[in-house]
Amino acid sequence: MAKETIFSKIIRREILADIIFQDELVTAFRDISPQAPTHILIVPNILIPTANDVVAAHEAALGRIITVAAKIAKDQGIAEDGYRLIMNCNKHGGQEVYHIHLHLLGGRPLGPMLAS
Ligand code: 5GP
């Protein structure tokens, strides 16, 4: 069984986070260490550790994280200028928290996709 991360505690509101959206499938909250003026994480409420663990049964929740990202981008006023959605996977992808999540980054020009 997959090991819970701090994101499960945030989803259950057992520890504090700046939650800006939550429904029965997903939770969105501000990243604790923002890399852009807007940096929000959108996570499924169920624990899926990485993109490698995705199966068809997860499609509703993972589809919802895109829908919610687009809604939040609009609400935050960054949709028209644009933004970046990132999902890291495992060590080479730079994943630090093993509860799958989508980064929504925007509010300034983000430059080339990869720094190195
Ligand atoms: P990853 O590298 O796994 O794709 O991204 C994990 C993200 O989670 C990082 O951007 C990190 O700043 C954020 N993060 C880690 N711990 C916490 C926390 O306790 N609260 C919040 N809001 N963000 C966190």
Side-chain angles (χ1 to χ4, degrees), residues 6-7 10 15-18 29-35 39 41 86-90 93-99 101-103:
I6 196 145
F7 287 2
I10 289 173
I15 65 162
L16 199 62
D18 188 358
F29 52 92
R30 291 192 189 279
D31 196 292
I32 202 166
S33 177
Q35 304 299 306
H39 188 174
L41 304 173
I86 299 173
M87 183 178 284
N88 296 321
C89 179
N90 275 346
Q95 185 172 5
E96 291 172 2
V97 178
Y98 283 79
H99 183 136
H101 51 279
L102 192 66
H103 295 255

Side-chain angles (χ1 to χ4, degrees), residues 2-5 7-8 11 25 43-63 65 87-88 95 97-101:
K3 193 169 176 292
E4 275 196 2
T5 74
F7 287 2
S8 290
I11 291 162
L25 289 178
V43 312
N45 293 340
I46 57 161
L47 172 53
I48 306 165
T50 81
N52 289 333
D53 302 301
V54 170
V55 297
H58 300 142
E59 285 171 6
L62 295 179
I65 67 175
M87 183 178 284
N88 296 321
Q95 185 172 5
V97 178
Y98 283 79
H99 183 136
I100 199 169
H101 51 279

